[in-house]
Every structure is written in structure tokens, then in C-alpha cells.
Amino acid sequence: MWKAITRKLSLKRTKYQFYAGAMVSVFLFFIVSAFVFPDYTSVKHSTIGTSLDLTHRQVTLIDEVYYEDKNLVEMNFYATIPDAATAKNLTIEVTDSSNSKKKLPVTTKKINESFYVVFVEGLPKKWQSIKVQLTEEGASSTDIDMVEPFYVANEKVLHKDTFKAKSVTYYEAKQINIFIDQSEKTLAKNKKEIKKLKESNVKILEVNRDIQSNISYQTEEKKQEMKSEIQANEQKIVSQKESIDNLEKENKELELAIEKAKKQKDLLEWL
């Protein structure tokens, strides 16, 4: 009997030791994983389309890619130009996010007043994230501090194997492509709004007909209310027709601009 009890206790001890060992193993796995597989979910990264407001213009990130063979990040920026008198060149400073004092080599190619191509070189082999500070020439330290920088994270940026230098005409064509894409989106949005306004006008006319058909047997006070409602609806129809005309005019201008842009792009690609 004593042997049976001892054997039973031994089995229980072995069982608890197994569970304890398993728990320790799982705990150690997560500890090691934190070092072997870093958590990149908290690393800052500016996605394409991110815009920042400088003193005199707005800057939008329109493309970004990391070339593994050159250990190089390329970023493309579009900057609005509010006034020729206040337009200033952009200056770019890049630092390693983990070491703000370590400036990285930067080459900036100004394609035109609104299109800039930035190459960030000399990246560490195992870089994690870089901070890209854009400012206007002559900006004060206060202005710089008020502007949030762009960020590029290694684990989130598009990777490509091989870098190939591109011509100025390539970037000019790329800028035109962006214009065409944005214009076509505006066209589609306008057409959707025109359809919505036309359907609304049809519905308002139906409502007015219903009100008119029931007005004859109402009290004088109610008749005046119904007439006022009809007039307000008619004014809304007029207002919405004006909006439709403006949108249709804008669409015609956009279609012409897109046609010209495509011809210009074809010419650039032919050169």
C-alpha cells in the first residue's frame, strides 16, 4: 500500500514538473522571439499619400521604395506652389530614427518646382527606420519644429532588388501619370455627384406634384404652407441644376486636360 501511495505521488510530481517545464519553455520562447523577431508594429512609417503642411506649401509623399542592392531609399514628393514670390526650394535632412544625431547622406533631384526626388544613401545593413525632415530654404528652427517629419520603416516600405538610374523625362512622365490618375478620380466623383443631383431633382418634382394635387381642399393656412414648400423645392431644383452645370463644365475641362497630358506623356516617353 505504501508503495502504491509513493508511486501515485511520484506520478503527480512528474506531471506537475512536465507542466511547469512546458510553461517555462513557452515563456522563454516569447522572450527569445522578442530579440530574434523584433516587433515592427510600433515603428513609424509614412504611407504613400501622406501630406504635410510647410509654411508656404503642402508636400505629399507620392512614392517610396528601398533598393536592396544599393542599400538605398528613394522617395518622390509633390509640393504645391501657392505663389511664385513665396516659392522656395525644399531642403531635406535624414537621420536614423534610433540615432537622431546621425545624419545620412542625401541626394535631392529637383525635377521642377513641384516634383522632388530624394535618395537616402549609406543606410546601415540592418536599418529599421529613418526620419526624413522636409523644410523650406531659410525656415526658422521654430517652423521646423512645428512640422512632423516623414518616416520610412524597413519592414513596411516596398523592397526592390536592383536600382536603376532614371532620367528626368521618366520623372516628368511619372508626374503626368499622377495628374491623369487624380483627374480621372475627380471625373468619376463628379459624374457620381451629377447622377445623384439629377435623381434628387426628379424626386423633388414628384413631391411637388403630390403637394399640388392635394392643395385645393386644404385650409388657407395649410395652402400657404404647401405653396411655400413648393417654392422652396423649386429653388432647390434651380440650385442643384447650377451645381450640375458647374460639374459638367469642370468635367469637360478635365477631359481636355487629360487628353493633353496623355499627349505630353507620349512625347516624353518617345524622347
Side-chain angles (χ1 to χ4, degrees):
M1 183 179 175
W2 177 251
K3 286 183 179 181
I5 294 172
T6 304
R7 191 181 306 111
K8 191 174 182 182
L9 289 173
S10 178
L11 286 171
K12 280 188 176 181
R13 185 167 57 251
T14 303
K15 184 178 179 182
Y16 290 141
Q17 285 174 343
F18 171 78
Y19 286 133
M23 289 175 68
V24 170
S25 297
V26 170
F27 179 75
L28 287 174
F29 171 77
F30 284 113
I31 292 293
V32 172
S33 296
F35 291 97
V36 178
F37 307 106
D39 178 16
Y40 289 102
T41 56
S42 61
V43 178
K44 290 185 178 181
H45 180 74
S46 302
T47 56
I48 293 171
T50 301
S51 296
L52 298 175
D53 291 319
L54 304 182
T55 305
H56 297 108
R57 58 168 78 182
Q58 185 183 73
V59 180
T60 302
L61 175 65
I62 56 177
D63 202 2
E64 56 183 1
V65 61
Y66 171 57
Y67 294 100
E68 296 179 347
D69 64 328
K70 295 288 186 182
N71 230 34
L72 175 149
V73 165
E74 177 185 338
M75 304 176 76
N76 296 172
F77 295 99
Y78 177 80
T80 57
I81 309 172
D83 190 321
T86 58
K88 297 179 181 179
N89 290 334
L90 299 179
T91 59
I92 296 95
E93 184 178 281
V94 181
T95 55
D96 191 320
S97 295
S98 62
N99 183 2
S100 59
K101 293 181 180 179
K102 184 180 179 182
K103 293 182 181 180
L104 297 169
V106 178
T107 300
T108 303
K109 183 184 288 188
K110 179 182 174 182
I111 306 304
N112 51 47
E113 284 298 330
S114 58
F115 196 95
Y116 284 76
V117 180
V118 176
F119 300 97
V120 183
E121 306 162 75
L123 290 165
K125 284 291 182 183
K126 294 183 179 180
W127 69 282
Q128 185 173 344
S129 175
I130 56 175
K131 182 172 73 172
V132 183
Q133 186 78 57
L134 267 71
T135 56
E136 294 171 285
E137 282 183 348
S140 66
S141 56
T142 304
D143 291 336
I144 295 170
D145 291 340
M146 290 177 67
V147 178
E148 176 74 12
F150 290 95
Y151 291 91
V152 183
N154 190 345
E155 291 296 312
K156 296 178 182 180
V157 70
L158 174 67
H159 282 226
K160 288 188 177 180
D161 296 331
T162 309
F163 172 77
K164 184 180 178 181
K166 304 169 189 71
S167 65
V168 171
T169 54
Y170 167 86
Y171 290 110
E172 288 174 339
K174 186 174 185 177
Q175 185 177 5
I176 291 173
N177 269 337
I178 293 166
F179 168 79
I180 292 171
D181 182 60
Q182 291 175 338
S183 298
E184 287 177 341
K185 285 178 181 177
T186 303
L187 266 174
K189 182 182 176 183
N190 286 352
K191 286 177 180 178
K192 188 176 180 180
E193 182 63 18
I194 288 168
K195 183 175 181 289
K196 179 182 174 183
L197 290 170
K198 286 182 175 180
E199 289 174 350
S200 173
N201 280 352
V202 170
K203 188 66 178 177
I204 292 170
L205 285 171
E206 290 175 357
V207 170
N208 274 1
R209 282 195 293 268
D210 288 343
I211 295 172
Q212 192 67 49
S213 66
N214 292 288
I215 202 170
S216 60
Y217 54 81
Q218 304 294 331
T219 64
E220 288 303 315
E221 182 179 356
K222 187 64 176 176
K223 282 180 181 179
Q224 290 304 315
E225 289 178 7
M226 293 169 79
K227 286 178 181 178
S228 296
E229 186 176 352
I230 289 172
Q231 288 176 349
N233 287 343
E234 287 175 343
Q235 288 175 356
K236 187 172 184 180
I237 288 173
V238 171
S239 174
Q240 292 191 159
K241 280 183 176 179
E242 288 177 359
S243 297
I244 290 168
D245 289 342
N246 291 333
L247 289 169
E248 287 178 339
K249 182 182 177 183
E250 182 183 1
N251 277 3
K252 286 181 181 178
E253 292 174 352
L254 282 170
E255 285 168 354
L256 182 60
I258 290 169
E259 185 182 346
K260 290 180 178 178
K262 286 180 177 178
K263 287 180 180 177
Q264 179 66 19
K265 180 190 155 196
D266 290 341
L267 178 62
L268 288 170
E269 290 177 344
W270 180 80
L271 293 174

